[in-house]
Amino acid sequence: MTVSPLAAWSDRLAALAPVLDAAEVPFRSQLTVRVSDPDAIAAMGSTLGVGFPSAACTFTSGTGPCGDVEVLWLGPDEFLVTAPPDQQVTIEEVLRGALGTAWGSVVDTSAQRTTVVLQGPRVRDVLAHGCSVDLHPASAPRGTCVQTLLARTGIVLQVTGDDRVTVLVRSSFAGYLAAWLVDACTEYLAVP
Amino acid sequence: MQLIPCPWCGPREEAEFHYGGQAHVAYPEDPSALTDEEWARYVFFRENPSGPFAERWSHNAGCRRWFNAVRDTRTHDLLAVYRVGEPMPEVTA
């Protein structure tokens, strides 16, 4: 049986409600795409049904033949495609087909990171304990995707709603990040 | 903490970056023709100015791209940042 990186933390993360609705979304399909040719990027986007983000530090999302797919900007020639579990082989083949003979690579990196969804009115306050990026809605609106440090751990942070963020963290750091989250929420929880 | 303006990601904390030494050190056109002294000069010798200095930085925790920055070594002010391949901009210290 496969155990997700934060399986042991699900109860303690759930106990953060109502300050923070924190839950792992395990085993998401993730593919790292390295490509700089604009035609290949457009072809990959139309195949997925989701256009690749053109602006730095943003992500796009939509529904296509491979289901609900998100495409995250990681660098000027680097993207991360995320999708529901068990889609990685299909998406890899589809994207490789769209890439054709252009220079680039499509690599399954699903095991590299796990996904944590954080939601609640205090989500920005909690993250501010360990993340220096300005997450105010004026500077980080919905659709923002930044790679930064949260409590010295490298993360990819997606702003998916008014009080909702998705954090992608390396599997081996996930336990540490969960422990830090529980600690950072302490001051907002009601005293028993 | 000091903010460094990454040309791709915008201003981020210095802890996200990695220093890469002097920028614009060209690789020798014909390395095998260099004398030991010339090779040592290429490998080890770097400028150490008091004032604006063009340096390489890497945004390790962000987009992981190398870029160049002009930093005033006296004040630690970053006077300009520019992408790899672009010419060094004019700065006034």
Side-chain angles (χ1 to χ4, degrees), chain A residues 24-63:
Chain A
E24 183 190 19
V25 186
F27 308 128
R28 295 263 298 165
S29 304
Q30 298 167 55
L31 296 107
T32 301
V33 179
R34 297 293 303 262
V35 58
S36 54
D37 179 33
D39 296 335
I41 291 175
M44 288 171 143
S46 59
T47 313
L48 272 184
V50 182
F52 277 41
S54 52
C57 298
T58 59
F59 74 94
T60 54
S61 57
T63 307

Side-chain angles (χ1 to χ4, degrees), chain A residues 66-79:
Chain A
C66 302
D68 295 331
V69 176
E70 291 178 344
V71 185
L72 286 61
W73 185 96
L74 294 189
D77 61 355
E78 186 174 1
F79 303 90

